[in-house]
Amino acid sequence: MSEQGGRLIFFWGRECPHCAKLHPVVDEVSEELVKAGGQGITQLEVWHSDENAKLMRSYGDVLKRACGGSLGVPSLYNERTKKALCGMRTTKQQILDLAKE
Amino acid sequence: MAVKKLWRCNVCNDIHYGIKGPEVCPTCGAKNAFMLIDYPEAKKVIIDRGDRLDQVDQLLEVWERFAEGKPFRLNPDAEFVKTLARGELENQRNHGLKYCPCRITTGNLEEDLDLICPCNFFIQPVYRETGECWCGLFVGRK
Ligand code: SF4
């Protein structure tokens, strides 16, 4: 498990279809990052866990900006760089860049 | 923003929540019939009278009707749409309202009211760019 404060987090919702589509991409990137000796991506479901929702809200300012207004899923947040990606059009390359920056 | 209040048509008891009551009652057609009322009165008038929209099929029907004559339609992928319907009903059970499954509440009710589906997605940048709502429940007509 990666350490709190330095994680790359994938926020998703169980009944969000775009999240389901992005899931395998996130898994793939996560595996690649681990293989390269880095840390993987922490996956947190937000509609069925108050704790995860709370954490997502705590990064609200950055995430809202990335999502174009509200707290959206699927989204990714890098705790180290405080940068985020949001939405269905997120690509594998963007996630890799977010992780490595 | 002006504060919304509750109004009752004194002819047929329609209830309206808004800055002012409608000039013409949409149910009985009475003119200038809406009176300002308070919450307990409104609650007594409507309690347990409205339809429950707590089944997937009901939501699908409401959404179809909502999209009629609009520049968008319900996503033709039936499974996709059903997933969203199930998510909204789950959110209603767990969080009180049919919140968008592709966003998360902030805990501030005023802000969260914007996340009740269908939301005002026309103002979302993603709708302007792709013609779809954030979740893809409603998509552009081709
Ligand atoms: S983005 Fe789409 S699914 Fe989500 S609340 Fe708005 S209309 Fe409903």
Side-chain angles (χ1 to χ4, degrees):
Chain A
M1 215 43 303
S2 315
E3 233 174 280
Q4 182 130 13
R7 296 171 295 183
L8 178 57
I9 304 174
F10 175 49
F11 290 111
W12 63 286
R14 200 171 73 191
E15 287 91 7
C16 152
H18 291 320
C19 300
K21 281 190 193 149
L22 196 61
H23 232 131
V25 181
V26 171
D27 286 339
E28 203 184 312
V29 176
S30 188
E31 259 172 51
E32 279 181 26
L33 292 172
V34 172
K35 266 195 206 139
Q39 50 168 296
I41 300 174
T42 306
Q43 309 199 0
L44 302 177
E45 201 285 336
V46 292
W47 270 117
H48 300 84
S49 159
D50 287 341
E51 200 185 317
N52 293 350
K54 231 165 95 188
L55 184 76
M56 183 170 172
R57 286 180 197 124
S58 75
Y59 300 137
D61 289 348
V62 178
L63 283 167
K64 276 185 190 170
R65 230 173 298 131
C67 300
S70 45
L71 288 176
V73 283
S75 52
L76 289 118
Y77 182 79
N78 186 329
E79 290 185 318
R80 181 174 48 81
T81 61
K82 301 187 173 34
K83 288 193 175 162
L85 288 171
C86 185
M88 59 159 170
R89 288 176 295 169
T90 303
T91 62
K92 181 176 171 183
Q93 193 53 49
Q94 285 177 319
I95 305 176
L96 279 167
D97 292 345
L98 183 75
K100 287 175 179 164
E101 209 180 310
Chain B
M1 206 170 83
V3 180
K4 292 187 182 183
K5 296 183 167 131
L6 289 157
W7 308 82
R8 177 182 69 86
C9 168
N10 77 328
V11 177
C12 75
N13 283 323
D14 251 33
I15 300 286
H16 176 81
Y17 173 66
I19 292 162
K20 55 180 188 174
E23 237 158 76
V24 178
C25 174
T27 298
C28 72
K31 285 199 180 122
N32 300 320
F34 278 84
M35 300 274 305
L36 184 65
I37 57 167
D38 66 1
Y39 170 68
E41 192 175 323
K43 203 170 129 189
K44 280 224 173 76
V45 173
I46 63 169
I47 204 146
D48 267 329
R49 299 251 199 133
D51 280 345
R52 292 272 146 90
L53 298 174
D54 56 6
Q55 302 296 324
V56 167
D57 291 349
Q58 283 172 313
L59 279 190
L60 263 47
E61 215 186 296
V62 170
W63 290 341
E64 286 281 8
R65 227 179 299 147
F66 175 70
E68 261 169 39
K70 305 254 171 71
F72 52 83
R73 59 176 178 157
L74 196 57
N75 191 321
D77 182 339
E79 259 328 294
F80 189 101
V81 171
K82 277 187 192 158
T83 304
L84 285 170
R86 281 192 293 268
E88 292 184 14
L89 294 175
E90 186 113 338
N91 284 347
Q92 169 148 292
R93 276 191 296 277
N94 300 330
H95 305 278
L97 286 166
K98 290 184 187 75
Y99 289 122
C100 182
C102 314
R103 280 165 304 158
I104 184 82
T105 50
T106 62
N108 170 336
L109 183 64
E110 276 306 314
E111 241 180 280
D112 292 343
L113 291 179
D114 291 344
L115 305 186
I116 302 174
C117 185
C119 66
N120 184 21
F121 53 83
F122 320 99
I123 60 167
Q124 290 169 359
V126 71
Y127 180 73
R128 289 199 293 264
E129 285 159 28
T130 67
E132 296 187 11
C133 76
W134 177 259
C135 266
L137 176 63
F138 296 105
V139 298
R141 290 182 191 275
K142 291 202 189 87

